[in-house]
Structures are given as C-alpha cells and as structure tokens.
Amino acid sequence: MPLHNRIDKRILKEKLSHLQEERITISFYKYHQIAEPQIFRDTLYKTFEQIHVMGRIYVAHEGINAQLSIPKNKFEIFRDTLYSISFLNGVRLNVAIDDNGKSFFKLKILVRKKIVADGLDDATFDVTNTGKHVNASEFNQLAEDPNTIIVDMRNHYESEVGHFKGAILPDVDTFREELQVVEDILKDNKDKNLLMYCTGGIRCEKASAWMKHIGFNNVYQLNGGIIEYARQVKSEGLENKFIGKNFVFDERLGERISDDIISSCHQCGAPCDTHTNCKNDGCHLLFIQCEECAKTYNGCCSTECKEIIALPVEAQKELRKGINKGRQVFKKGRSEKLPYMKNLSATTSPKS
C-alpha cells in the first residue's frame, strides 16, 4: 500500500467538489515524546487511509498536530481508533462550526522537527509549565477585567479578518516572529493578566510556557482556542466577544464566528473577508478578494497573473520553469501587486 497520495491535486479537488457524503472537520494536537516519528507516521497513514480520512498531520519527536476531514458515518470508528493510541486517549477534538465538508482533498502526514515552528530551544525552559487554561465563560470574565491584556497569538492575515474585541494584534507573518514582538510590546506589563488565544490552542501551549519563563506572572490561555470558544458560546448562550471570521488552514480558509466584516478587499477596498489563493500556479498568493474583483481579475491577484492563466497550460509551465518563487506564497496579502494594499501602505508609511 502506498503511503502517499500522488494523484494530481486538481483531480482530487474536482472529485471533492462532487462528493456527496457528509464529512466533519476536526483538529487536535498533543505534546508528547514520540520516539520514532517516522514509524508512527506510517502507521497512522495506513490506519487513517482505510477509513477515508483526509487532512494534514504534522508528527515530530515533540508530538502531533492534526487538521482532518472525516466521513460523518465513520466518525465513531475514527475516534475509537485515535483513542486506542495511549497518549491520545481522550484528547480534545475541536469540531469546526462552519463546515461545508470540503476542507481537505487528500491525506498528508509529514514528519517535522517541530509540530509548530516557534524558533524556541525547548531545552532552555519548562515547556510543560503552561498558562492556566480557561473556558469561554472564564475568558469573557477575564476580558472584562481592566487589569487584563488580551493578545492574539496568530499572524496578521488571520487577525485581519477576525479577532477578539480589544486584543493586541501583532503585525507579524509567522509565529516565530510573534513571540519576540509580544515580549517587546508587553515587557513593562509583567504583573498584568496576560490572556492569550489562537486558532485551536496549540500555539498558546508553547507561548504561554515561554511567557511564564521570561517573568510574566499571570498567564492564561483560551482552552481549545477560537474553535472551542465559538462552540461553547453557541451551546451555552454566552456573549460572543469574537468579531468576524476565524481563519483556518484548509480549503475553507475561514469559518464565520460573527456577522461582522472587519476587513477589506485587497484589490478595491470594499468590505470583504473572503480569503483566496491567486489562481496562477506560479504565484498562488493568499489575499482577500471580493466577488466583483474575482470576476474582474478571474480569481487572480493582478492583471499580470490574469494574463498568465489565459495562456495554454504548457506555456504557463514554461514561464514558471527555472524561477524560484521562494516564500512568495507566505507573503499573505503583502504583495505589491495588490492595488488597495499598495495604496494603503503608501498612505500609512512614515513621511521622510
């Protein structure tokens, strides 16, 4: 049995678009010492492939981080199978709240050095000494306390479309950058209540331990992240302090938490919070695009890319050949190609 899906992604996406079965999107993580990540990875792949699990899993010596799509009629089989793994028995499963069943189109399991790229040397501090986990009700209570500072531990393109009211939103591209930025911003507030949150909780596990290590005295983290918060708010009838969309790292690119639209189309500036990837495979930039601009640019980030995708497929491949796009895909809406963002940057830049 092959341990990788080699079918062209366009074929898989087309197949997914016509799939009729109900599927559930879930995520989970667990920090735990895994002696043989590659063996563990291969065993997981064989097991999950048999029950038609799709999604993305990172496995490392330090643990596992997973975002998955599971057939609804196989969910109990999946859960029982997962919980049969001793260190994953009872692990919290974050269930998506705004789910069309088309979040992933194949199963991909990768062995990594870390399950989240944080840039920290885990040997220098106690990674298990995390902040106090709080539920949605406790989060809301802490948020009302004037002695509390709420910090979004996600990247700029995530908080741009949705965040908690009153939160500090670091303007960073990666989690690795964010830890240092947050440390600098809050260096004179070590006795405040530091209330941290992220998408599903995994980034706060490491971040809260680090903030305690460098001297912050009252560190809290939202248990289960925004995903679990939204579920609790809905089921318990609590006040929703999150505005906008929760960015997610799958084909959906977002799940709506409130009706507020707090961001703008990166091409025309109209109110919009719909993320997309440029349809030019040589670009694939992540940005926000409204319906009108999607029509105008044919799903691309620029006129240049629109003209490229109009060419025959072989001609497009020739244009891409030998060109190293580097980390272009990770620029996440900061490209000079985007007219509104370019103009906004020009008007907000310091004048010389």
Side-chain angles (χ1 to χ4, degrees), residues 120-293:
L120 297 173
D121 181 357
D122 293 358
T124 62
F125 69 107
D126 183 359
V127 297
T128 66
N129 185 25
T130 62
K132 180 181 179 181
H133 293 73
V134 297
N135 60 26
S137 177
E138 293 166 330
F139 183 96
N140 284 357
Q141 291 176 23
L142 277 166
E144 294 293 333
D145 187 335
N147 197 47
T148 296
I149 298 176
I150 306 173
V151 181
D152 193 319
M153 294 307 298
R154 303 172 302 154
N155 306 321
H156 75 92
Y157 54 90
E158 298 173 80
S159 60
E160 182 178 3
V161 294
H163 53 78
F164 279 102
K165 299 172 184 175
I168 292 174
L169 313 174
D171 184 20
V172 296
D173 292 322
T174 66
F175 180 54
R176 182 193 299 262
E177 293 174 59
E178 179 153 27
L179 288 169
Q180 184 60 59
V181 169
V182 170
E183 183 179 336
D184 291 342
I185 291 174
L186 301 180
K187 61 185 178 182
D188 296 325
N189 294 278
K190 291 189 174 181
D191 290 323
K192 298 276 189 179
N193 296 324
L194 176 55
L195 181 55
M196 314 170 84
Y197 70 89
C198 56
T199 308
I202 187 169
R203 281 175 276 191
C204 289
E205 288 291 321
K206 193 66 70 72
S208 66
W210 176 251
M211 298 308 278
K212 289 183 71 174
H213 172 69
I214 61 174
F216 285 83
N217 299 313
N218 306 301
V219 182
Y220 301 85
Q221 62 191 87
L222 180 57
N223 195 25
I226 300 162
I227 298 173
E228 177 62 12
Y229 176 90
R231 188 195 67 77
Q232 290 179 20
V233 161
K234 186 176 182 180
S235 64
E236 299 174 23
L238 303 173
E239 177 191 355
N240 178 23
K241 291 184 177 292
F242 189 93
I243 52 175
K245 267 186 177 180
N246 178 30
F247 183 94
V248 291
F249 295 87
D250 58 53
E251 294 296 306
R252 296 171 299 151
L253 292 177
E255 47 184 23
R256 185 157 296 288
I257 308 299
S258 82
D259 292 331
D260 306 275
I261 297 177
I262 63 172
S263 51
S264 304
C265 173
H266 288 172
Q267 291 173 310
C268 73
C272 180
D273 57 10
T274 303
H275 272 105
T276 189
N277 286 106
C278 179
K279 296 300 184 288
N280 175 15
D281 284 339
C283 175
H284 206 58
L285 179 76
L286 179 74
F287 67 108
I288 298 174
Q289 185 179 55
C290 69
E291 291 184 8
E292 286 300 312
C293 286

Side-chain angles (χ1 to χ4, degrees), residues 306-331:
K306 178 183 176 181
E307 291 172 351
I308 289 174
I309 68 166
L311 298 172
V313 174
E314 290 305 315
Q316 293 182 46
K317 289 181 179 179
E318 283 297 317
L319 285 175
R320 296 198 298 270
K321 191 178 295 184
I323 298 176
N324 181 8
K325 298 299 290 186
R327 293 177 63 82
Q328 166 74 9
V329 67
F330 298 110
K331 286 189 176 178

